[in-house]
Amino acid sequence: IATARSAAGLGKEAKVEAAAIRGEALAAQGKTAEAITALKEVEGDDNAHRAHLLLGELYIRVGDRVKARDALGKRTNWISP
């Protein structure tokens, strides 16, 4: 998690990837709220596909289907023509 946090200072692409890695690691430790917070850091980035997918999954896990739909909708917009 510390490595992902320090990678966030390396530029936009690294920040997006680091947020996804950090979110995934926190979720694996059962720290769902912290994982959501980490992923929300890049929620507005249209290229944060992995983060949007993870964020949607975590929102489903906590029972917030509206937020899950929003997060996953960003992902489906990416794959739709």
Side-chain angles (χ1 to χ4, degrees):
I1 296 173
T3 303
R5 192 173 288 132
S6 65
L10 298 177
K12 184 179 175 183
E13 288 180 27
K15 180 180 179 178
V16 167
E17 187 61 25
I21 291 168
R22 203 165 69 248
E24 195 168 35
L26 289 164
Q29 294 174 3
K31 299 177 180 179
T32 306
E34 291 177 52
I36 289 172
T37 300
L39 295 166
K40 284 177 72 172
E41 292 176 11
V42 295
E43 185 178 23
D45 189 320
D46 291 337
N47 294 315
H49 310 299
R50 182 174 169 196
H52 293 154
L53 179 62
L54 290 168
L55 192 56
E57 290 174 356
L58 291 174
Y59 280 137
I60 289 170
R61 197 178 294 176
V62 298
D64 194 334
R65 296 197 179 273
V66 172
K67 287 183 181 177
R69 190 177 314 123
D70 289 343
L72 294 171
K74 291 177 183 176
R75 174 109 165 82
T76 57
N77 289 340
W78 171 65
I79 57 176
S80 296

